[in-house]
Amino acid sequence: MELLKRQDVPAEHKWDLDSVYPTTQAWEEDYARVEAMVPQLTAYQGRLGESAGVLLEALRKRDELFQLLERVAVFAHMKEDEDTTNSTYQALSTRGQSLYARVTAAGSFMTPEILAIPSETIRAWLDQNPDLAAYRHELEDLLREKEHVRSPEVEELLAQMSEVGGAPRDIFGKLNHADMKFPRIKDEEGKEVELTHGRYLRFLESPVREVRKAAFDALYGTYAKFRNTLAATYSNSVKKDVVYARARRYPSARAAALSSTNVPESVYDNLIEAVHRNLPSLHRYVQLRGKLLKLDELHMYDLYTPMVAEVDKKIPYAEAVETILKALEPLGEEYCEVARKGLTTDRWVDIYENVGKRSGAYSFGAYTTKPFILMNYQETLDSMFTLAHELGHSMHSYFTRRHQPYHYGNYTIFVAEVASTFNEALLTDYLLKQTDDPKLKMYLINHQLESFRTTLYRQTMFAEFEHITHQRSEKGEALTADLLDEIYYGLNKQYYGTEGMVIDEAIALEWARIPHFYSAFYVYQYATGISAAVALSRQVLTEGKPAVDRYLTFLKSGSSDYSTNLLARAGVDMTSPEPVQQALDVFASLLDEMERLAG
């Protein structure tokens, strides 16, 4: 079927960006308003310590400015995503990004100035001024980090070094995406096709084993040619993390990274320990995968091809919406009614692919807009799950923005994946209860098992690799290519086991191609997120209203407290190993059911 041009897409299939700006002229007017408001904020520079009233005025002016800026920048970004070939919206997007950078730089004086005010003075102001008290958590969070803020001279030097500190990531990006070229391989039809980053996973999912192996060998054969350069690049990224942590007087690079969201290091350790205890389940999964694929031994390139044939089931968008809403009924009338309107009459969703439209899917928006969803819906089960996932993000944004002021109107990465994965869990539970078809059941269970393998187990392995490499660097060890290979290969051997599984030597180089390793101690949050989501979804399904009320309160809380506190009030204590263990127990029970169905 031929793709429609953007102008030919029916309005009911498009998100309602006219509700943000009905015309480009309206956007231009707000763009100009933002520029005019910047001097109103910078007028407070050097004055924040004068009084509680002045500090409150400055914070309110900042919020007013950034609310409008966010609306301007988000609209421009989303208009470009509708049709990336449209030069008008390309220009708007570039201008929006530039404006955001300029305004952010102009407002950067606020944090150091606030931290220059004595802590006891700020706390006295908070107690004396009820309006300023609305910013208590934000200000207390700033004060929490005060001991790690250095003198103005050191801070200025660290700021100047930030561009240099980003060099390893930039070098990796240029080498990985621009300079590294992969060879051609033969596809399923015997045609020669160039291997690319985008095609690699598709080849690994191929039902033809020779194609999977060829892609795997070609990819890692190419990385092997650059392994020493990549090792030096990653090593310097780790050194940068260590130097910055020491400059700010943190005990370690990991402590510095987790401190930004006030997550105890025990959360990280508990995650790794719980996964280690449950590696036998992953080993069972690997053996089952080999059995279902009818392979005597499984290789690393066999881990992504579906072990259950895709169910040939067309799901039109309207049917997907109804199915998702039925699955979400345990969350109550309010949640489902908002979701129904968002997916239909309120036009949150840009549904189908069109010429020039950005690929993939996301949830996006500003504090003052609808929580929009970009889709490229394909009438498949996978597309329905993607829609449920993105709806979870949008509902989190919707409830947060309805119940929190602007300065708490967002949420951290630590909790971002909870609401989306929660929706997927409820959808899987609903679909499994609605069918007696063993093929569909196996497909659904396979979908969830793979989510666990790639998100909980795999991301934890990544997290463990990061922890080991930073510890080695902090002890003064050189992170050579040989050492990185040794660490990474050993982790793969530990995680996947060796019974019926070949840990191919080439997998030792996988560390060299993971972009997230240049944003240290980030990936563990994917694993904690799925753990929290599974635990909360089980509570909702078993406890009913009390658990639903706790969960909806969590969705409405934004960033008004630390993430671990918000999750604890929802019913999940992420500072204990219990939620991770509960998620791993679900993985084991799904595995039991899959083994039973496989016979």
Side-chain angles (χ1 to χ4, degrees):
M1 184 175 175
E2 193 170 336
L3 291 180
L4 295 176
K5 292 183 178 178
R6 185 66 192 181
Q7 63 266 28
D8 298 327
V9 176
E12 63 269 22
H13 294 165
K14 296 192 286 191
W15 51 22
D16 182 22
L17 289 194
D18 285 352
S19 65
V20 186
Y21 291 109
T23 63
T24 304
Q25 181 57 37
W27 181 87
E28 293 285 2
E29 289 168 5
D30 268 359
Y31 185 99
R33 282 181 62 204
V34 169
E35 290 188 309
M37 288 169 67
V38 173
Q40 298 171 24
L41 178 62
T42 55
Y44 288 97
Q45 190 163 0
R47 297 188 55 211
L48 300 187
E50 288 181 8
S51 68
V54 170
L55 178 58
L56 176 62
E57 286 176 17
L59 289 169
R60 285 176 168 172
K61 180 55 67 176
R62 176 204 66 183
D63 290 353
E64 181 187 359
L65 170 59
F66 274 83
Q67 270 194 57
L68 189 58
L69 170 67
E70 194 179 74
R71 187 180 181 94
V72 167
V74 161
F75 175 85
H77 177 88
M78 294 173 73
K79 286 302 288 185
E80 183 184 26
D81 285 350
E82 289 180 348
D83 181 359
T84 57
T85 66
N86 186 309
S87 59
T88 299
Y89 294 124
Q90 288 173 6
L92 243 61
S93 182
T94 300
R95 288 173 60 203
Q97 292 170 32
S98 175
L99 181 66
Y100 200 93
R102 283 188 284 128
V103 176
T104 302
S108 64
F109 72 91
M110 295 191 71
T111 294
E113 268 199 44
I114 291 170
L115 289 173
I117 304 169
S119 301
E120 56 272 19
T121 300
I122 290 180
R123 292 193 172 108
W125 289 351
L126 287 168
D127 292 338
Q128 295 160 10
N129 189 316
D131 292 328
L132 185 62
Y135 292 87
R136 183 180 295 276
H137 175 65
E138 179 186 348
L139 293 171
E140 288 286 1
D141 193 36
L142 278 179
L143 295 178
R144 177 180 62 83
E145 291 286 276
K146 191 168 187 174
E147 65 180 290
H148 301 294
V149 176
R150 303 296 301 274
S151 68
E153 294 80 11
V154 174
E155 284 296 325
E156 183 180 356
L157 181 60
L158 288 172
Q160 290 174 358
M161 291 295 293
S162 63
E163 190 171 355
V164 177
R169 183 195 296 113
D170 293 341
I171 293 167
F172 170 78
K174 293 291 188 296
L175 176 59
N176 197 46
H177 297 295
D179 295 341
M180 196 177 291
K181 301 298 180 189
F182 301 104
R184 301 173 76 83
I185 67 168
K186 288 186 177 179
D187 66 10
E188 293 84 355
E189 297 173 0
K191 296 177 183 174
E192 284 206 348
V193 182
E194 183 183 357
L195 178 64
T196 65
H197 288 292
R199 291 172 180 160
Y200 179 63
L201 184 57
R202 183 175 70 78
F203 286 136
L204 280 196
E205 292 173 346
S206 172
V208 180
R209 199 180 198 199
E210 289 76 12
V211 172
R212 303 197 297 266
K213 184 178 187 305
F216 182 84
D217 290 343
L219 184 95
Y220 288 109
T222 304
Y223 275 96
K225 296 174 184 176
F226 299 93
R227 65 190 288 270
N228 292 304
T229 300
L230 287 161
T233 306
Y234 178 64
S235 175
N236 279 283
S237 182
V238 173
K239 285 178 184 175
K240 175 261 300 178
D241 298 334
V242 173
V243 167
Y244 272 80
R246 287 173 178 167
R248 294 198 177 280
R249 303 191 181 104
Y250 288 99
S252 68
R254 187 178 75 166
L258 270 62
S259 179
S260 63
T261 48
N262 199 31
V263 173
E265 288 189 83
S266 59
V267 171
Y268 206 101
D269 293 329
N270 288 338
L271 171 67
I272 293 172
E273 289 166 11
V275 167
H276 279 188
R277 285 195 305 273
N278 289 269
L279 286 177
S281 292
L282 184 57
H283 300 166
R284 274 176 59 207
Y285 170 80
V286 166
Q287 289 155 27
L288 177 63
R289 171 172 274 276
K291 176 184 174 182
L292 289 173
L293 292 175
K294 296 181 171 57
L295 298 173
D296 291 335
E297 57 181 24
L298 210 66
H299 284 256
M300 301 305 294
Y301 47 79
D302 297 320
L303 287 173
Y304 289 89
T305 187
M307 59 182 184
V308 177
E310 185 171 356
V311 177
D312 187 18
K313 181 177 171 64
K314 282 206 166 216
I315 307 171
Y317 179 78
E319 182 183 331
V321 169
E322 291 306 315
T323 303
I324 291 168
L325 291 171
K326 285 175 184 173
L328 299 177
E329 280 180 1
L331 290 175
E333 190 175 336
E334 179 190 14
Y335 186 100
C336 289
E337 188 55 31
V338 171
R340 178 181 294 280
K341 287 181 179 177
L343 294 174
T344 56
T345 56
D346 280 358
R347 291 173 53 205
W348 291 2
V349 189
D350 207 75
I351 303 172
Y352 301 110
E353 188 178 5
N354 59 251
V355 174
K357 184 176 175 181
R358 173 183 162 151
S359 63
Y362 64 61
S363 167
F364 197 47
Y367 184 79
T368 56
T369 72
K370 298 174 181 180
F372 293 107
I373 297 171
L374 180 136
M375 286 288 297
N376 284 277
Y377 191 78
Q378 297 294 323
E379 298 194 342
T380 64
L381 272 166
D382 277 349
S383 269
M384 181 166 68
F385 271 100
T386 300
L387 180 61
H389 181 101
E390 300 305 338
L391 176 65
H393 286 308
S394 287
M395 293 299 289
H396 195 175
S397 299
Y398 173 87
F399 282 115
T400 285
R401 293 167 188 164
R402 287 281 295 247
H403 293 88
Q404 294 298 327
Y406 175 74
H407 53 283
Y408 298 140
N410 213 322
Y411 38 84
T412 67
I413 296 295
F414 190 81
V415 300
E417 292 300 318
V418 173
S420 53
T421 312
F422 177 100
N423 275 15
E424 287 194 72
L426 286 192
L427 179 58
T428 301
D429 180 82
Y430 173 78
L431 291 172
L432 284 171
K433 288 174 178 174
Q434 295 300 307
T435 183
D436 293 321
D437 180 353
K439 285 185 179 178
L440 180 56
K441 278 196 171 186
M442 288 180 74
Y443 179 84
L444 293 168
I445 293 171
N446 177 65
H447 181 277
Q448 198 157 14
L449 286 171
E450 271 297 280
S451 292
F452 277 100
R453 182 186 74 80
T454 57
T455 308
L456 185 44
Y457 281 104
R458 180 172 161 80
Q459 300 297 333
T460 300
M461 186 179 77
F462 285 174
E464 189 169 358
F465 175 77
E466 288 186 292
H467 185 38
I468 293 170
T469 55
H470 282 76
Q471 280 186 321
R472 295 287 188 96
S473 183
E474 284 162 347
K475 290 175 182 175
E477 291 186 48
L479 297 180
T480 64
D482 286 346
L483 179 59
L484 293 170
D485 284 358
E486 179 188 326
I487 294 168
Y488 199 83
Y489 186 82
L491 286 170
N492 272 275
K493 197 171 180 179
Q494 178 183 7
Y495 273 67
Y496 289 105
T498 54
E499 188 176 341
M501 181 79 207
V502 176
I503 311 299
D504 300 272
E505 287 184 15
I507 202 63
L509 258 174
E510 190 177 34
W511 61 265
R513 58 176 289 261
I514 307 299
H516 276 114
F517 287 162
Y518 293 86
S519 301
F521 304 109
Y522 177 95
V523 295
Y524 84 97
Q525 296 168 113
Y526 292 120
T528 54
I530 191 173
S531 300
V534 168
L536 290 171
S537 65
R538 295 283 151 168
Q539 289 175 22
V540 164
L541 290 169
T542 55
E543 293 178 34
K545 191 174 186 307
V548 170
D549 290 344
R550 293 195 305 268
Y551 180 68
L552 293 180
T553 298
F554 160 73
L555 294 184
K556 296 171 183 176
S557 297
S559 56
S560 60
D561 200 349
Y562 296 118
S563 300
T564 50
N565 293 344
L566 296 174
L567 286 170
R569 286 198 286 274
V572 179
D573 180 9
M574 292 307 298
T575 63
S576 84
E578 187 180 348
V580 179
Q581 185 57 56
Q582 288 176 352
L584 291 162
D585 288 343
V586 171
F587 178 80
S589 66
L590 288 167
L591 191 55
D592 289 341
E593 179 66 5
M594 190 67 142
E595 287 173 335
R596 186 189 68 77
L597 289 167

Short mmCIF file of all heavy atoms in Angstrom, two decimals, residues 254 258 261-275 414 456 460 463 524-529 531-532 563-565 567 572-581:
data_model
loop_
_atom_site.label_atom_id
_atom_site.label_comp_id
_atom_site.label_asym_id
_atom_site.label_seq_id
_atom_site.Cartn_x
_atom_site.Cartn_y
_atom_site.Cartn_z
N ARG A 254 30.20 5.91 40.57
CA ARG A 254 28.83 5.41 40.69
C ARG A 254 28.05 6.23 41.72
O ARG A 254 26.88 6.58 41.49
CB ARG A 254 28.82 3.93 41.07
CG ARG A 254 27.43 3.32 41.03
CD ARG A 254 27.41 1.86 41.36
NE ARG A 254 27.59 1.60 42.79
CZ ARG A 254 27.36 0.43 43.37
NH1 ARG A 254 26.96 -0.60 42.65
NH2 ARG A 254 27.54 0.28 44.66
N LEU A 258 24.49 8.22 40.84
CA LEU A 258 23.23 7.91 41.52
C LEU A 258 22.77 9.04 42.42
O LEU A 258 21.58 9.17 42.71
CB LEU A 258 23.35 6.61 42.32
CG LEU A 258 22.99 5.33 41.53
CD1 LEU A 258 23.91 5.10 40.34
CD2 LEU A 258 23.03 4.11 42.45
N THR A 261 19.81 11.62 41.43
CA THR A 261 18.40 11.33 41.71
C THR A 261 18.20 10.78 43.12
O THR A 261 17.14 10.27 43.45
CB THR A 261 17.84 10.32 40.68
OG1 THR A 261 18.74 9.22 40.56
CG2 THR A 261 17.66 10.98 39.32
N ASN A 262 19.25 10.87 43.95
CA ASN A 262 19.19 10.43 45.34
C ASN A 262 18.79 8.95 45.47
O ASN A 262 18.04 8.56 46.35
CB ASN A 262 18.21 11.30 46.14
CG ASN A 262 18.45 11.21 47.65
OD1 ASN A 262 19.58 11.00 48.08
ND2 ASN A 262 17.39 11.33 48.43
N VAL A 263 19.31 8.13 44.57
CA VAL A 263 19.06 6.68 44.63
C VAL A 263 20.21 6.03 45.40
O VAL A 263 21.37 6.21 45.03
CB VAL A 263 18.97 6.08 43.21
CG1 VAL A 263 18.89 4.56 43.27
CG2 VAL A 263 17.76 6.64 42.47
N PRO A 264 19.92 5.30 46.47
CA PRO A 264 20.99 4.65 47.23
C PRO A 264 21.75 3.63 46.37
O PRO A 264 21.16 2.96 45.52
CB PRO A 264 20.25 3.94 48.37
CG PRO A 264 18.90 4.56 48.42
CD PRO A 264 18.59 5.03 47.04
N GLU A 265 23.05 3.53 46.61
CA GLU A 265 23.84 2.55 45.85
C GLU A 265 23.38 1.12 46.13
O GLU A 265 23.61 0.22 45.31
CB GLU A 265 25.32 2.71 46.18
CG GLU A 265 25.94 3.98 45.58
CD GLU A 265 27.45 4.00 45.74
OE1 GLU A 265 28.14 3.38 44.91
OE2 GLU A 265 27.92 4.63 46.70
N SER A 266 22.73 0.92 47.25
CA SER A 266 22.23 -0.42 47.58
C SER A 266 21.22 -0.91 46.54
O SER A 266 21.08 -2.11 46.30
CB SER A 266 21.58 -0.43 48.97
OG SER A 266 20.49 0.49 49.02
N VAL A 267 20.49 0.02 45.89
CA VAL A 267 19.53 -0.35 44.84
C VAL A 267 20.28 -1.05 43.70
O VAL A 267 19.83 -2.08 43.17
CB VAL A 267 18.77 0.89 44.33
CG1 VAL A 267 17.95 0.56 43.09
CG2 VAL A 267 17.88 1.46 45.43
N TYR A 268 21.40 -0.50 43.32
CA TYR A 268 22.24 -1.04 42.25
C TYR A 268 22.76 -2.43 42.64
O TYR A 268 22.69 -3.38 41.87
CB TYR A 268 23.40 -0.08 42.02
CG TYR A 268 24.02 -0.08 40.64
CD1 TYR A 268 23.71 0.92 39.73
CD2 TYR A 268 24.96 -1.03 40.26
CE1 TYR A 268 24.30 0.97 38.48
CE2 TYR A 268 25.56 -0.99 39.02
CZ TYR A 268 25.22 0.01 38.12
OH TYR A 268 25.81 0.05 36.88
N ASP A 269 23.28 -2.51 43.86
CA ASP A 269 23.84 -3.78 44.33
C ASP A 269 22.77 -4.86 44.47
O ASP A 269 22.98 -6.02 44.12
CB ASP A 269 24.56 -3.58 45.66
CG ASP A 269 25.81 -2.72 45.52
OD1 ASP A 269 26.44 -2.77 44.45
OD2 ASP A 269 26.16 -1.99 46.48
N ASN A 270 21.60 -4.46 45.01
CA ASN A 270 20.50 -5.42 45.19
C ASN A 270 20.05 -5.99 43.84
O ASN A 270 19.71 -7.18 43.73
CB ASN A 270 19.31 -4.75 45.87
CG ASN A 270 19.56 -4.48 47.34
OD1 ASN A 270 20.40 -5.12 47.97
ND2 ASN A 270 18.82 -3.54 47.91
N LEU A 271 20.03 -5.13 42.83
CA LEU A 271 19.62 -5.56 41.49
C LEU A 271 20.56 -6.65 40.98
O LEU A 271 20.12 -7.72 40.54
CB LEU A 271 19.63 -4.36 40.54
CG LEU A 271 19.44 -4.67 39.05
CD1 LEU A 271 18.06 -5.20 38.77
CD2 LEU A 271 19.73 -3.42 38.20
N ILE A 272 21.86 -6.39 41.05
CA ILE A 272 22.84 -7.35 40.53
C ILE A 272 22.79 -8.65 41.33
O ILE A 272 22.80 -9.76 40.76
CB ILE A 272 24.25 -6.74 40.56
CG1 ILE A 272 24.34 -5.59 39.54
CG2 ILE A 272 25.31 -7.79 40.26
CD1 ILE A 272 25.62 -4.79 39.61
N GLU A 273 22.70 -8.54 42.66
CA GLU A 273 22.67 -9.74 43.50
C GLU A 273 21.43 -10.59 43.22
O GLU A 273 21.51 -11.83 43.15
CB GLU A 273 22.72 -9.34 44.98
CG GLU A 273 24.08 -8.79 45.42
CD GLU A 273 24.02 -8.09 46.76
OE1 GLU A 273 22.97 -8.22 47.46
OE2 GLU A 273 25.00 -7.41 47.13
N ALA A 274 20.27 -9.94 43.07
CA ALA A 274 19.04 -10.68 42.79
C ALA A 274 19.12 -11.40 41.45
O ALA A 274 18.71 -12.56 41.31
CB ALA A 274 17.83 -9.74 42.83
N VAL A 275 19.64 -10.71 40.44
CA VAL A 275 19.78 -11.33 39.11
C VAL A 275 20.75 -12.51 39.17
O VAL A 275 20.50 -13.56 38.57
CB VAL A 275 20.20 -10.28 38.07
CG1 VAL A 275 20.64 -10.95 36.77
CG2 VAL A 275 19.04 -9.32 37.78
N PHE A 414 14.34 7.19 36.43
CA PHE A 414 14.23 6.03 37.32
C PHE A 414 12.80 5.48 37.34
O PHE A 414 12.60 4.27 37.47
CB PHE A 414 14.66 6.43 38.74
CG PHE A 414 14.81 5.25 39.68
CD1 PHE A 414 15.97 4.49 39.66
CD2 PHE A 414 13.81 4.91 40.57
CE1 PHE A 414 16.11 3.39 40.52
CE2 PHE A 414 13.95 3.83 41.43
CZ PHE A 414 15.10 3.07 41.40
N LEU A 456 15.56 -6.87 31.89
CA LEU A 456 15.99 -7.13 33.26
C LEU A 456 17.36 -7.80 33.30
O LEU A 456 18.29 -7.32 33.95
CB LEU A 456 14.94 -7.97 33.98
CG LEU A 456 15.16 -8.26 35.47
CD1 LEU A 456 15.61 -7.03 36.23
CD2 LEU A 456 13.89 -8.82 36.09
N THR A 460 20.97 -5.47 33.31
CA THR A 460 21.72 -5.68 34.56
C THR A 460 23.15 -6.12 34.25
O THR A 460 24.10 -5.70 34.92
CB THR A 460 21.01 -6.72 35.45
OG1 THR A 460 19.69 -6.25 35.75
CG2 THR A 460 21.77 -6.94 36.75
N ALA A 463 24.92 -3.09 33.43
CA ALA A 463 25.18 -2.32 34.65
C ALA A 463 26.36 -2.90 35.43
O ALA A 463 27.18 -2.16 35.98
CB ALA A 463 23.93 -2.30 35.52
N TYR A 524 20.93 0.71 34.36
CA TYR A 524 20.34 -0.08 35.43
C TYR A 524 18.88 0.30 35.66
O TYR A 524 18.07 -0.51 36.14
CB TYR A 524 21.14 0.09 36.73
CG TYR A 524 20.77 1.30 37.54
CD1 TYR A 524 19.88 1.20 38.62
CD2 TYR A 524 21.27 2.56 37.23
CE1 TYR A 524 19.51 2.32 39.36
CE2 TYR A 524 20.91 3.68 37.97
CZ TYR A 524 20.04 3.55 39.03
OH TYR A 524 19.68 4.66 39.75
N GLN A 525 18.53 1.54 35.29
CA GLN A 525 17.17 2.03 35.53
C GLN A 525 16.13 1.33 34.66
O GLN A 525 14.96 1.28 35.01
CB GLN A 525 17.12 3.54 35.30
CG GLN A 525 17.98 4.30 36.30
CD GLN A 525 18.18 5.76 35.93
OE1 GLN A 525 17.70 6.64 36.62
NE2 GLN A 525 18.88 6.00 34.85
N TYR A 526 16.55 0.77 33.53
CA TYR A 526 15.63 -0.04 32.73
C TYR A 526 15.25 -1.30 33.49
O TYR A 526 14.09 -1.74 33.48
CB TYR A 526 16.26 -0.42 31.39
CG TYR A 526 16.47 0.75 30.45
CD1 TYR A 526 17.75 1.08 30.01
CD2 TYR A 526 15.41 1.52 30.00
CE1 TYR A 526 17.96 2.14 29.13
CE2 TYR A 526 15.61 2.58 29.14
CZ TYR A 526 16.88 2.89 28.71
OH TYR A 526 17.08 3.95 27.85
N ALA A 527 16.24 -1.90 34.15
CA ALA A 527 15.99 -3.13 34.90
C ALA A 527 15.16 -2.87 36.16
O ALA A 527 14.23 -3.64 36.46
CB ALA A 527 17.32 -3.78 35.28
N THR A 528 15.45 -1.79 36.88
CA THR A 528 14.64 -1.48 38.06
C THR A 528 13.23 -1.07 37.65
O THR A 528 12.25 -1.37 38.34
CB THR A 528 15.28 -0.36 38.90
OG1 THR A 528 15.53 0.79 38.07
CG2 THR A 528 16.59 -0.81 39.53
N GLY A 529 13.12 -0.40 36.48
CA GLY A 529 11.80 0.03 36.00
C GLY A 529 10.88 -1.13 35.72
O GLY A 529 9.71 -1.14 36.14
N SER A 531 11.11 -4.10 36.94
CA SER A 531 10.86 -4.78 38.20
C SER A 531 9.73 -4.11 38.98
O SER A 531 8.81 -4.76 39.48
CB SER A 531 12.14 -4.81 39.06
OG SER A 531 13.18 -5.48 38.40
N ALA A 532 9.80 -2.78 39.06
CA ALA A 532 8.75 -2.03 39.77
C ALA A 532 7.41 -2.19 39.06
O ALA A 532 6.36 -2.36 39.72
CB ALA A 532 9.14 -0.56 39.86
N SER A 563 12.33 9.58 43.73
CA SER A 563 11.71 8.46 43.02
C SER A 563 11.49 7.24 43.90
O SER A 563 10.44 6.59 43.84
CB SER A 563 12.56 8.07 41.81
OG SER A 563 12.67 9.16 40.93
N THR A 564 12.47 6.90 44.72
CA THR A 564 12.33 5.73 45.59
C THR A 564 11.22 5.93 46.61
O THR A 564 10.52 4.98 46.96
CB THR A 564 13.66 5.40 46.30
OG1 THR A 564 14.16 6.59 46.92
CG2 THR A 564 14.69 4.86 45.32
N ASN A 565 11.03 7.17 47.08
CA ASN A 565 9.94 7.46 48.02
C ASN A 565 8.58 7.33 47.33
O ASN A 565 7.62 6.79 47.91
CB ASN A 565 10.08 8.88 48.60
CG ASN A 565 11.30 9.02 49.49
OD1 ASN A 565 11.89 8.02 49.91
ND2 ASN A 565 11.69 10.25 49.78
N LEU A 567 7.80 5.48 44.73
CA LEU A 567 7.52 4.06 44.48
C LEU A 567 7.18 3.33 45.77
O LEU A 567 6.33 2.43 45.77
CB LEU A 567 8.72 3.40 43.79
CG LEU A 567 8.90 3.77 42.31
CD1 LEU A 567 10.23 3.25 41.79
CD2 LEU A 567 7.76 3.22 41.46
N VAL A 572 6.05 -0.36 46.36
CA VAL A 572 7.27 -1.05 45.94
C VAL A 572 8.48 -0.38 46.57
O VAL A 572 8.76 0.79 46.29
CB VAL A 572 7.43 -1.02 44.40
CG1 VAL A 572 8.70 -1.73 43.98
CG2 VAL A 572 6.24 -1.67 43.72
N ASP A 573 9.18 -1.11 47.42
CA ASP A 573 10.38 -0.58 48.06
C ASP A 573 11.60 -1.00 47.24
O ASP A 573 12.12 -2.10 47.39
CB ASP A 573 10.50 -1.11 49.50
CG ASP A 573 11.74 -0.59 50.20
OD1 ASP A 573 12.43 0.30 49.65
OD2 ASP A 573 12.03 -1.07 51.32
N MET A 574 12.07 -0.10 46.37
CA MET A 574 13.19 -0.44 45.49
C MET A 574 14.52 -0.45 46.23
O MET A 574 15.54 -0.83 45.65
CB MET A 574 13.25 0.53 44.31
CG MET A 574 12.10 0.41 43.34
SD MET A 574 11.80 -1.27 42.71
CE MET A 574 13.33 -1.61 41.85
N THR A 575 14.54 -0.02 47.48
CA THR A 575 15.79 -0.12 48.25
C THR A 575 15.97 -1.53 48.80
O THR A 575 17.01 -1.84 49.38
CB THR A 575 15.81 0.89 49.41
OG1 THR A 575 14.75 0.61 50.33
CG2 THR A 575 15.65 2.32 48.89
N SER A 576 14.96 -2.38 48.65
CA SER A 576 15.08 -3.79 49.04
C SER A 576 15.16 -4.64 47.78
O SER A 576 14.73 -4.21 46.71
CB SER A 576 13.87 -4.22 49.88
OG SER A 576 12.80 -4.60 49.05
N PRO A 577 15.69 -5.85 47.89
CA PRO A 577 15.76 -6.72 46.70
C PRO A 577 14.43 -7.36 46.32
O PRO A 577 14.32 -8.00 45.28
CB PRO A 577 16.79 -7.79 47.12
CG PRO A 577 16.73 -7.82 48.61
CD PRO A 577 16.35 -6.44 49.06
N GLU A 578 13.39 -7.17 47.14
CA GLU A 578 12.13 -7.89 46.96
C GLU A 578 11.46 -7.64 45.61
O GLU A 578 11.04 -8.59 44.94
CB GLU A 578 11.17 -7.57 48.11
CG GLU A 578 9.90 -8.40 48.07
CD GLU A 578 8.96 -8.07 49.22
OE1 GLU A 578 9.38 -7.38 50.16
OE2 GLU A 578 7.80 -8.50 49.15
N PRO A 579 11.32 -6.37 45.14
CA PRO A 579 10.63 -6.16 43.86
C PRO A 579 11.35 -6.83 42.68
O PRO A 579 10.70 -7.37 41.79
CB PRO A 579 10.63 -4.64 43.70
CG PRO A 579 10.79 -4.11 45.07
CD PRO A 579 11.65 -5.09 45.79
N VAL A 580 12.67 -6.80 42.69
CA VAL A 580 13.42 -7.45 41.61
C VAL A 580 13.18 -8.95 41.68
O VAL A 580 12.96 -9.61 40.64
CB VAL A 580 14.92 -7.13 41.72
CG1 VAL A 580 15.69 -7.83 40.60
CG2 VAL A 580 15.16 -5.62 41.64
N GLN A 581 13.17 -9.50 42.90
CA GLN A 581 12.93 -10.93 43.05
C GLN A 581 11.52 -11.30 42.59
O GLN A 581 11.31 -12.33 41.94
CB GLN A 581 13.13 -11.37 44.50
CG GLN A 581 13.01 -12.87 44.73
CD GLN A 581 13.97 -13.67 43.88
OE1 GLN A 581 15.18 -13.45 43.92
NE2 GLN A 581 13.46 -14.60 43.07
#
